[in-house]
Amino acid sequence: MSANLAAAGIPTRVWDMMPAAVEAAVEKGCIAAEDAAGAVAGADLIVTSLPRSVDVEALADTLIEANALQPDAVWLDCTSGVPDVTQRIYAKLADVDVHFLDCGVAGGPAGAEAGTLAAMVGGDAEALATVRCPASATRAQAG
């Protein structure tokens, strides 16, 4: 996903616990950050896709404690989440003026590579409206 954002001309900083994932993203035009705080420094859009909701919550806690999040930033989480944990994350981020969007994706690794993922986003409509999508993206709203 990060490589497709970079290819669309969106400056994309990446960090991962697995150095090989960062190296692969850098080879495709992303910028490596030294740590998670460096990846989100000054960012108005944060995109995460982690193994579990508790991993996203731990990251949010770390970034909140480090005061690393920019107020009014939008956090778009593509993790296959657990609803009660997602709601906790939403509340924690709201306390520091960060907008959290829950973004389920369909299409798997092949869809991510090809840039053809389908995204189903839940959260504040005004926050979603600020998310800059690549020109090739198709956007539909339900509800």
Side-chain angles (χ1 to χ4, degrees):
M1 289 189 299
S2 59
N4 286 321
L5 292 172
I10 300 169
T12 306
R13 283 190 307 260
V14 296
W15 176 82
D16 196 293
M17 291 176 63
M18 298 170 46
V22 174
E23 291 170 16
V26 168
E27 288 175 9
K28 295 183 179 181
C30 297
I31 302 160
E34 289 187 29
D35 55 24
V40 304
D44 56 2
L45 176 63
I46 300 158
V47 180
T48 51
S49 182
L50 300 176
R52 303 170 304 158
S53 295
V54 293
D55 299 325
V56 179
E57 184 175 33
L59 177 61
D61 290 343
T62 298
L63 294 173
I64 290 167
E65 186 176 313
N67 198 31
L69 298 166
Q70 179 172 307
D72 277 331
V74 175
W75 185 319
L76 185 71
D77 180 44
C78 302
T79 302
S80 295
V82 175
D84 64 327
V85 179
T86 298
Q87 290 169 349
R88 284 197 314 257
I89 298 166
Y90 179 94
K92 289 177 182 187
L93 292 173
D95 286 345
V96 294
D97 297 320
V98 173
H99 309 281
F100 186 75
L101 298 173
D102 183 23
C103 180
V105 294
E113 181 82 22
T116 58
L117 291 174
M120 293 123 320
V121 184
D124 182 68
E126 289 180 25
L128 178 58
T130 68
V131 176
R132 179 179 158 211
C133 294
S136 62
T138 302
R139 187 178 209 166
Q141 182 171 340

